[in-house]
Amino acid sequence: MTSSSTPIKFSLNPEQLKAVQYVDGPCLVLAGAGSGKTRVITEKVAYLIKECEIAANHITAVTFTNKAAKEMKERVSKQLDKKERRGLTISTFHTLGLKIIRSEQPMLNLSDGFSIFDSHDSGQLIRELMLASVEEAEDASDRVKFHISNWKNNLISCDHALSHAADKEEQLSARVYVEYERSLRAYNAVDFDDLIMLPARLFATEPAVLAKWQSRIRYLLVDEYQDTNQSQYQMVKYLVGNRAAFTVVGDDDQSIYSWRGAQPENLALLAEDFPKLELIKLEQNYRSSSLILKAANAVIDNNPHVFDKRLWSQLEHGESIRALRCASEDAEAERVATDIFNHHLQHKRPFSDYAILYRGNFQSRLIETKLKTLQVPYKISGGSSFFGKTEIRDILYYLRVIINPDDDNAFLRIINVPRREIGPRTLEKLSAYAQQRDKSLLAASGEIGLRHHLPERVTEKLEVFSRWMAKLQQRCVQEDPMKAIRQMIEDIHYETWCYEQSSNPRAAERKMENIGQLLASINSMLEKNEDSDLSDVIRKLVLLDMLDEKQQEDDDDRVQLMTLHASKGLEFPNVFIMGLEEDLLPHKTSVEEDSVEEERRLFYVGITRAQRELTLTLSARRRQYGEVSECTPSRFLDELPRDDVEWEGWDQERSEQETKAVASAHISNLRAILDK
C-alpha cells in the first residue's frame, strides 16, 4: 500500500530493512548483541503506520522493562507526529496485562479499585498463611512463594498443583497456593504473576473476549522474546491468533533469566506453532571491536543452538583482550582500580566510560574500598529504588486502602504508621472478628459488634480510624484528590513521624522531599489523562514499583559497578569482568545442576558490553568462610581464542605484598605526573 504521508527514509542495513518491511506473515528477528534491534522495532512501527496504513491504535509493542518501553516511545515520537501515533500502545508485558484485566474486571470477578500485590505483599501474605500451621514458616515461605510463582507462570491452577504435587514440599506449597488464591480474591487483589496469567486464562476460556482483543491488536511486536515465560508465550499466541501478524525480536544467546521463568526455547517453539515463520538474522554488530566479537563468538559456540548466528563488525580490529591472574581477591581489586585510575589519567577518558562487572553482589565490597582509596567516583547499579523507600511505601499503602477498602495487607501496614497503640493481639482479635463477619479489617473496625471482643479504649481507636478513612475516601472521589491526600499526610502527622524515625533532621527532610516528589507524580498523571481517576494512577504507580529494574538514568561521571545480569542492554568503552573462576563464573550451583550453558550466555553478555577494551580478571586464591583456598580458572577462559588474549600473571605469580608495592609505586608516579 502507498500512503499519502511522507515516506520513511531508511538508513538501515539490508537485513534490518528486510525485518522492517516484512509484513506478510509471522516474523522472528534473531538479533545479536549490538545489532540495532530497538531501532528495527521502532522503524517497523513507523513503517506499519505510514506505509501499510495500519491505524496506530491497532498496533501494540511490548517489552520487559519500563526503561526499554520509554526508549521505544521516545524513538517512535521522532518518527511519527502526535496525530500519527495516537492510540499506539508501547508498554511492558505486565502493563498490557493490567490494561486487559481492567477492561475485563467483571469477567474476572474483580471490583473497582482492586489492588496489585507486589513481591513484598505476596511474601507477607504467604508467611501469615503458613504461620498458623507450619513450623519454621519464615524459612520455608520463600520456597513456597517460588513454587506458587512458578505455577502461575506456567498457567497451572492451585487445584491442578494440589493434585499433581510430587513431594512434601510441593504438597505444602500447593495447599498454601489454594489459601493464597482465596485470600487474594477476598482482598479484591491480584499479584504480579496474575497480570499475565489472568488474561491468558481468560483468552483460553472466553472466545468473545479473545476475539475483541484480537480485533483491537492487529499487529503485535515483542522485544526480548527469549525472556518470555510460558504464560507470556501463550498470551502472545492467543493475541495474534490465526492472523499471525506479528514480529518478535530476540537472541537465544542472551537468555539469562531462567530463574525468573524465562524459556529461550520459546524462540524454537515459534517455528513449530507458526510453520510459515520468516527468520531474519541481524548479525552485524555496531558496538564492539572485531577482536571482542571474535572472542564472544568463540565462547558462545560451545553452547548448542537451534539457530546459528555469528556476530561481525566493520569497526576496527581493536585492542587485545587481557586476562589478568592476581594473587588474591584483594590484589585483583587493587589491580582493577589502579588500571582504571591509570587509564583515566593517561587517556583523559571520563570515569563513566568504565564498567566493572561481576557474578555476585558480594564481589563489589573490595573494589569499592580500592576505588575510594584512589578517590575514583563510582556508582553501584541495583541500589534501593525510589518506590522502595519506606516513606513512599507508607503513603502508597494509605492510598491503596483508599482505593480498595478490602486490601487487608495494606491496612495492616498503615494501622500503626504512625503509631496508634494498636498491638498484635488486638489485630489478631480484629482479624478473627472480621473473618467471622466475612468483612475486611477496615469494615470490621467500624462495626459496633467489635466492642464485645475488644476493650473499649481500643475499639474507639479503631472506630475513629475507620470513620476518618471513610471521609478520606469520600473526599478523594467528590473533591480534589490531591488536596485530600495532602490533608491526609497532615492528619496523621507524618512529618513529625519522619523526624522521630530519622537519624538526623536532614534525613527527615529528604523523606518529606521524596513524598513531595511522589505527590507531584500523582498530580502530573491525573492531569495528563483526564479519563484516569486516583485508583488508575495508584495501580500504575504500584506497577512501576514492581517493574523498576533499578536502571535509573545517571549523568554523573562515575565508574559503573554492577552484576552481569544487570549489565544486559548496556554498553561501555572499557569493561572489566572480575572473578573468572570455577564456582564463581560459572557459579557453583549451575555446575551442580548441569546448567552451565546459561552461565556461558551470561559471560557472553558481559563480553558484548565492551566497545573498545575488555579486561578479564581472576584470583589465584580466595578467602571463603575464614579460610584461604586455591581457585581454579574458569573453563570459559579456555574457550577464548588464545592468541588474541594477553595472559598476565599465569607463568610467574607475584606475591600479594609485591603486587601492593608495585601498585603503590605506580600510583606515586601518576600523582607525580599530575603535580607537574
Side-chain angles (χ1 to χ4, degrees), residues 19 22 25-29 44 219-223 245-249:
Y22 185 81
C27 179
L28 166 59
V29 180
K44 186 152 194 171
Y219 202 96
L220 182 67
L221 302 102
V222 184
D223 187 23
F246 69 83
T247 294
V248 302
V249 182

Side-chain angles (χ1 to χ4, degrees), residues 417-636:
V417 177
R419 291 193 187 95
R420 295 184 177 89
E421 297 180 359
I422 298 172
R425 292 194 65 183
T426 296
L427 291 173
E428 281 180 26
K429 291 179 180 179
L430 173 64
S431 181
Y433 175 77
Q435 196 169 6
Q436 178 188 331
R437 295 279 296 143
D438 196 22
K439 300 275 187 180
S440 70
L441 294 177
L442 181 60
S445 297
E447 289 200 345
I448 296 174
L450 188 60
R451 292 176 178 270
H452 299 299
H453 299 265
L454 289 170
E456 186 177 348
R457 182 182 62 84
V458 178
T459 54
E460 283 180 1
K461 289 178 184 290
L462 289 169
E463 284 175 8
V464 167
F465 181 76
S466 177
R467 287 196 300 269
W468 174 73
M469 284 299 298
K471 287 181 181 177
L472 187 57
Q473 289 159 0
Q474 190 176 26
R475 288 188 62 191
C476 284
V477 173
Q478 297 178 355
E479 303 173 24
D480 177 5
M482 293 309 303
K483 189 175 179 181
I485 293 169
R486 291 189 181 95
Q487 186 62 51
M488 175 195 81
I489 294 169
E490 285 186 28
D491 287 349
I492 63 176
H493 306 293
Y494 195 80
E495 186 169 3
T496 303
W497 170 255
C498 282
Y499 277 94
E500 290 173 355
Q501 299 298 308
S502 300
S503 56
N504 56 67
R506 180 61 193 130
E509 289 169 11
R510 280 197 295 268
K511 289 183 179 182
M512 292 309 296
E513 287 169 3
N514 289 334
I515 290 172
Q517 189 177 338
L518 173 66
L519 298 187
S521 297
I522 294 172
N523 191 47
S524 174
M525 291 170 77
L526 286 169
E527 288 179 346
K528 278 183 181 177
N529 192 344
E530 295 177 0
D531 295 330
S532 289
D533 57 19
L534 186 62
S535 62
D536 294 330
V537 170
I538 300 309
R539 277 199 295 267
K540 285 177 183 175
L541 285 173
V542 171
L543 187 54
L544 279 173
D545 179 18
M546 296 182 201
L547 291 169
D548 187 352
E549 293 291 332
K550 301 172 180 66
Q551 296 173 324
Q552 299 169 12
E553 293 180 13
D554 192 333
D555 295 328
D556 289 351
D557 184 22
R558 295 189 276 179
V559 175
Q560 306 294 302
L561 275 63
M562 67 189 73
T563 64
L564 285 159
H565 282 98
S567 73
K568 188 168 177 289
L570 304 177
E571 57 186 49
F572 305 92
N574 300 72
V575 169
F576 291 76
I577 304 178
M578 298 179 67
L580 265 295
E581 302 149 30
E582 288 290 302
D583 294 344
L584 191 51
L585 184 65
H587 194 272
K588 183 179 181 180
T589 305
S590 74
V591 176
E592 292 171 348
E593 296 178 354
D594 196 24
S595 57
V596 173
E597 288 173 14
E598 178 152 332
E599 293 289 295
R600 185 176 285 110
R601 293 196 292 268
L602 191 58
F603 182 43
Y604 172 84
V605 166
I607 292 173
T608 53
R609 298 314 94 195
Q611 295 171 308
R612 292 196 292 266
E613 296 183 36
L614 174 65
T615 302
L616 312 171
T617 68
L618 67 153
S619 300
R621 288 175 292 277
R622 190 175 289 274
R623 183 177 293 275
Q624 288 182 313
Y625 311 113
E627 295 184 2
V628 176
S629 55
E630 297 291 323
C631 299
T632 304
S634 170
R635 68 190 71 187
F636 299 150

Side-chain angles (χ1 to χ4, degrees), residues 152-168:
K152 288 195 172 194
N153 286 334
N154 286 289
L155 300 175
I156 295 172
S157 68
C158 48
D159 293 336
H160 186 275
L162 193 59
S163 61
H164 289 74
D167 52 38
K168 287 184 177 180

